Amino acid sequence: MCELIVYKGADVLNALELENFKAFGERARIEFAPITLIFGENSAGKSSILQALNLLKQTRESREQGALLLPRAEGGIVELGGYQEMVFDHDLKREIAIRLDFLPGAGIQRRLSLPKLGERSAEDSVGFEMRFARPSEDVEIQLKSLTLHSALSGRIAQFEPVDLPTNELREIVRESLPMIRSRRPMKVSDVRTAGCTWLTNDKTFWAEIFERTKRRADKIANELRQLQQEAQESSQQRMLFKELVEGERIGAAKNDSAVAFYESDFSIEDFVARMLPAELKAVIGLDGFVPLPMRPRHQETLPEFETFRKYGPTRLRMRDLTLDVSSFAVDCGRMLEAALENIYPMGPFRRPPERWYIFTGTSPQDVGYRGDLLPDLLFRRPELVEETNQWLDRLEVGYHIKIQSVGERSRDLFEVRLIDKRRGGDVAVALSDVGFGISQLLPFVVQSLAGEGQTITIEQPEVHIHPRLQADLGDLLISTIQQPRSHRFIVETHSEHLILRLLRRIRETSEGGLPAGHPGLRPEDVSVIYLERGKNGSRAHRLRIDETGEFVDRWPKGFFEERAKELF
């Protein structure tokens, strides 16, 4: 029986939407699964999907340069020129939109009352959308808006950039910096701000906080009354029982109105009508396009929050009494950061092997975007060499890897040798002396075994390897999406053999005919995306698969119809 693949405690990248980016004009949605295969015609946008993810990752990893979007960087992972090269039809009047959807981990699940981990589906996803513009060549790229989405409630909230007075911004940032977790020192000049300009009144989204507040309504009213009474007594004593100033009278009157509200039998409509205007005053900080935690600025608009803020501490936390859309935005920003950090991109061509290597003295955790760290990684991790050799046997490559030092004076000079198992293991050749396909395949195999919980993206892993090995790669993907590695793969490919192996494993899982030692595979573990060009940009079709390993949806223009054309 095939076990459910569960990503415990993690925020899983579930989908990507693109609008006016590269080959995509009209909005296109690409839904991910543990194994996502992207097919399509040439220039249909397959690479654009990976480039969008790499663009965001490159920007975040290079953000000391201060760019909102960084389409090119020295030694970067993607080269996209500039905004005009990225935007659809090179039209500066268009805005680029990139949306990422996540299956949230435990924290944000509690905030939205979503099902427990292990029961997540696309219906539980949360989306974070960024819109960028560059109105003319005379200005830099601008952030136009950030929009939060929920599959259950649709669009939730929208934030747009706002300019605060420098002294006010400085004070907010000073108070908020201890809350900000960043890889680089943050200064006031680094922080942008955005205000909430729209918020949903959908009851589905407000239901959880309404129910929680309703259960505590009596407690809230009693605490408000007690705090106000203590404040009045303190003021009277300080003023020698003289008459309270007018401001304190007004504050007391407002507090009384709040007490009356929480003592009433208020409905969800009443609650939303009271809370929504206050939430629309929310302001968040931005590090580039990522929301930062900042001290709330909007809660003083409601007397209950002003009372708690001014006369606390209180046993009730303000966050328990309000939707707190700014915190929700920060949660989405953290999911985005985590997802981008976990993306591991591999280019279409890995670095050709050398005859000898000099150990750099570092201990890399991965093979590098172009496979250039592979030798050092294998040099430092003998157990990874052994595990790689086990998979080379399963893939029937015919070789084992051997790392050996060269010379007696220094062990830091080493070579990567291949032992020819087909000839009894007595013949060793340099990696640079065998076919190019092995050197292209090895970094992908090793990276799949080296880490855990990564989203590995790769272009055309089938390049330079023969059809049977292309099919066997499917078993490597199936094995490494399981625990403990729990990888996810986004693969741009043209390989018919790869998809046929996955379809076969789905059928064998359903029929109980899996080969010994092979984990099962379910239809929902695979997302097959087919891209085709259209007048208004490329369109993305997800082709559903049933339990027999057959496509439910017809493959556009036929399933690899070129083979049939050649045969008949």
Side-chain angles (χ1 to χ4, degrees):
M1 187 68 180
C2 180
E3 296 184 357
L4 178 69
I5 296 175
V6 179
Y7 296 85
K8 293 184 178 180
D11 301 312
V12 176
L13 182 60
N14 185 58
L16 171 71
E17 292 188 10
L18 297 173
E19 180 183 335
N20 291 325
F21 180 78
K22 299 284 287 186
F24 297 95
E26 294 180 344
R27 182 169 293 246
R29 181 174 178 84
I30 299 93
E31 296 180 344
F32 299 133
I35 300 174
T36 302
L37 302 183
I38 304 171
F39 293 88
E41 307 167 356
N42 289 334
S43 301
K46 298 187 299 298
S47 297
S48 298
I49 294 172
L50 305 187
Q51 288 171 349
L53 297 174
N54 292 342
L55 169 65
L56 299 180
K57 182 179 180 69
Q58 177 170 279
T59 301
R60 296 307 294 163
E61 291 185 350
S62 305
R63 59 187 181 271
E64 66 274 2
Q65 299 187 26
L68 183 62
L69 276 182
L70 195 62
R72 57 184 301 180
E74 185 71 25
I77 56 178
V78 67
E79 166 57 84
L80 298 177
Y83 186 89
Q84 193 162 5
E85 298 299 317
M86 295 188 296
V87 70
F88 182 69
D89 279 350
H90 308 303
D91 184 0
L92 289 180
K93 295 179 181 179
R94 295 177 180 266
E95 295 180 358
I96 291 176
I98 303 176
R99 169 178 164 180
L100 285 79
D101 282 12
F102 311 91
L103 296 181
I108 201 167
Q109 280 194 335
R110 286 192 294 270
R111 183 183 296 277
L112 299 179
S113 295
L114 295 176
K116 295 180 181 179
L117 290 172
E119 303 172 358
R120 293 176 292 177
S121 69
E123 295 180 354
D124 309 324
S125 64
V126 175
F128 184 87
E129 179 176 329
M130 301 149 281
R131 295 192 73 89
F132 303 97
R134 190 183 181 196
S136 73
E137 296 180 357
D138 299 326
V139 298
E140 296 181 352
I141 298 175
Q142 301 173 353
L143 179 67
K144 299 297 291 184
S145 65
L146 296 175
T147 307
L148 313 180
H149 300 264
S150 164
L152 295 175
S153 305
R155 186 166 67 116
I156 295 172
Q158 182 166 305
F159 290 81
E160 297 179 6
V162 295
D163 292 325
L164 296 180
T166 302
N167 58 338
E168 185 176 356
L169 177 61
R170 183 179 294 110
E171 180 63 20
I172 294 173
V173 173
R174 184 187 64 80
E175 293 181 357
S176 302
L177 280 178
M179 306 164 60
I180 297 173
R181 292 178 291 183
S182 178
R183 294 180 179 177
R184 66 186 179 101
M186 295 288 295
K187 301 177 295 185
V188 174
S189 58
D190 294 329
V191 179
R192 299 179 175 90
T193 51
C196 185
T197 57
W198 183 88
L199 182 63
T200 181
N201 60 2
D202 181 77
K203 294 180 183 178
T204 303
F205 188 71
W206 286 87
E208 194 273 341
I209 183 62
F210 165 73
E211 294 294 340
R212 190 166 66 210
T213 303
K214 189 78 170 177
R215 289 194 301 268
R216 302 180 180 186
D218 290 341
K219 185 176 181 180
I220 295 170
N222 290 335
E223 190 127 352
L224 285 172
R225 187 182 293 107
Q226 180 178 346
L227 287 172
Q228 185 64 38
Q229 181 177 352
E230 292 174 355
Q232 288 179 335
E233 291 175 353
S234 176
S235 298
Q236 290 171 350
Q237 291 174 1
R238 287 197 309 269
M239 301 173 65
L240 301 177
F241 302 98
K242 292 184 179 179
E243 185 178 9
L244 295 176
V245 297
E246 188 67 19
E248 294 188 349
R249 282 181 176 174
I250 295 174
K254 289 183 177 179
N255 193 73
D256 290 342
S257 70
V259 171
F261 175 81
Y262 289 103
E263 288 181 336
S264 69
D265 185 22
F266 58 92
S267 65
I268 189 170
E269 290 84 2
D270 299 330
F271 181 74
V272 173
R274 182 177 184 83
M275 293 295 177
L276 194 146
E279 294 287 353
L280 284 173
K281 302 292 185 180
V283 173
I284 59 174
L286 295 175
D287 179 13
F289 49 76
V290 175
L292 294 172
M294 298 185 72
R295 296 294 182 188
R297 297 182 64 254
H298 63 283
Q299 295 174 338
E300 299 173 9
T301 58
L302 286 176
E304 53 264 45
F305 297 126
E306 170 66 9
T307 298
F308 288 143
R309 184 193 68 81
K310 189 173 182 179
Y311 302 120
T314 170
R315 292 183 297 276
L316 292 171
R317 297 183 305 168
M318 288 186 283
R319 135 173 228 158
D320 291 335
L321 309 178
T322 179
L323 181 64
D324 197 2
V325 68
S326 58
S327 291
F328 180 51
V330 170
D331 288 338
C332 289
R334 286 173 177 162
M335 284 192 291
L336 175 65
E337 289 272 69
L340 295 179
E341 184 173 346
N342 287 336
I343 289 174
Y344 191 84
M346 300 191 71
F349 300 104
R350 272 60 77 191
R351 182 176 177 176
E354 300 176 9
R355 192 164 297 277
W356 298 287
Y357 300 93
I358 299 177
F359 178 53
T360 61
T362 63
S363 297
Q365 302 301 310
D366 52 63
V367 302
Y369 174 55
R370 298 172 181 84
D372 51 303
L373 300 181
L374 173 68
D376 275 7
L377 181 63
L378 295 176
F379 184 81
R380 293 291 292 172
R381 293 182 57 180
E383 79 285 356
L384 188 56
V385 174
E386 181 179 351
E387 196 167 5
T388 300
N389 285 334
Q390 293 173 2
W391 263 101
L392 292 180
D393 286 340
R394 293 181 63 175
L395 297 173
E396 299 182 22
V397 172
Y399 290 103
H400 274 190
I401 297 175
K402 182 179 181 181
I403 309 297
Q404 63 183 35
S405 296
V406 178
E408 299 180 356
R409 289 190 302 173
S410 174
R411 296 190 69 252
D412 284 350
L413 181 64
F414 68 97
E415 59 183 340
V416 180
R417 306 287 287 182
L418 292 178
I419 308 299
D420 192 340
K421 304 299 292 183
R422 293 164 296 189
R423 302 180 62 183
D426 297 327
V427 178
V429 296
L431 181 58
S432 56
D433 289 335
V434 300
F436 194 60
I438 297 297
S439 67
Q440 295 298 292
L441 175 65
L442 267 179
F444 180 62
V445 173
V446 172
Q447 187 58 43
S448 299
L449 303 173
E452 293 182 4
Q454 294 177 327
T455 298
I456 299 176
T457 70
I458 186 168
E459 301 175 51
Q460 303 176 42
E462 71 272 14
V463 169
H464 300 293
I465 61 176
H466 59 79
R468 182 190 53 76
L469 189 48
Q470 293 178 31
D472 289 343
L473 279 181
D475 287 330
L476 175 65
L477 301 182
I478 295 170
S479 177
T480 52
I481 65 174
Q482 316 293 330
Q483 294 184 15
R485 290 189 176 85
S486 301
H487 289 314
R488 292 169 73 87
F489 293 91
I490 305 174
V491 182
E492 176 200 335
T493 182
H494 295 282
S495 177
E496 175 183 10
H497 308 284
L498 176 58
I499 182 59
L500 288 175
R501 175 60 58 86
L502 298 180
L503 296 176
R504 171 184 167 185
R505 294 303 186 217
I506 291 173
R507 181 178 67 255
E508 291 172 342
T509 301
S510 175
E511 297 175 351
L514 279 170
H518 284 261
L521 189 67
R522 305 168 303 163
E524 55 266 38
D525 294 332
V526 180
S527 176
V528 177
I529 305 295
Y530 185 86
L531 301 178
E532 61 178 347
R533 290 174 292 180
K535 181 180 179 181
N536 296 315
S538 295
R539 296 186 295 269
H541 309 276
R542 180 172 183 178
L543 307 181
R544 294 170 296 169
I545 304 170
D546 64 22
E547 292 188 352
T548 67
E550 297 289 339
F551 284 109
V552 175
D553 302 302
R554 181 176 178 272
W555 192 281
K557 301 180 181 179
F559 179 38
F560 290 101
E561 62 182 6
E562 294 80 6
R563 176 175 56 171
K565 288 180 180 179
E566 293 296 325
L567 293 175
F568 302 104

